[in-house]
Amino acid sequence: MSPYSLQSSILIHSDPEAIQAVYADVANWHAWDPDTRSAQLDGPFAAGSTGKLVPSKGLPVRMVVTEVRPGGGFTVQCPVFGSVMRFEHVLKTTAQGVELTHRVTFSGWLASLLMRWVGKPLAARLPLTLARLKQHVEEC
């Protein structure tokens, strides 16, 4: 893993399709992600779609869906001043349910600053985000 990456994982007692459906409901990410004030896509939940993410703290950023793996997660990239924040969401089916991993990687000339400004606080809150996603999925 890159020095400018962070990740957290959790086990969710559900099937990957149910989790993928929650991911695809971009307009409601704020319901389970405390770091998201709002999010929108200008097209379908598919590779190539673009949109906007407004974090709970900080400035809005443009996002591009770079990959959607049905039942396997998705990846979004947010360009920031010539650098990139990459958000990977990986689903892995296990005998106990689905192991869910959220990984954030910063690259480009601002990677070290983004890691300090965005990454450090995000790393501290990522377990809460995953716990809220787990609760959201398991209650639906």
Side-chain angles (χ1 to χ4, degrees), residues 2-95:
S2 159
Y4 303 119
S5 290
L6 54 106
Q7 74 177 35
S8 188
S9 299
I10 196 167
L11 182 67
I12 297 181
H13 302 289
S14 182
D15 59 78
E17 290 76 20
I19 299 167
Q20 194 79 10
V22 170
Y23 283 151
D25 187 12
V26 176
N28 286 306
W29 283 356
H30 67 277
W32 52 267
D33 185 350
D35 289 317
T36 299
R37 183 178 308 146
S38 67
Q40 67 164 58
L41 283 181
D42 299 325
F45 185 69
S49 288
T50 61
K52 182 171 76 172
L53 175 77
V54 180
S56 57
K57 295 179 182 174
L59 301 173
V61 292
R62 188 174 76 88
M63 67 176 171
V64 179
V65 179
T66 58
E67 182 179 24
V68 174
R69 299 170 305 283
F74 74 104
T75 302
V76 169
Q77 290 189 172
C78 299
V80 178
F81 301 115
S83 295
V84 174
M85 296 185 296
R86 179 183 168 120
F87 298 86
E88 296 175 84
H89 307 78
V90 180
L91 306 175
K92 181 180 174 190
T93 303
T94 70

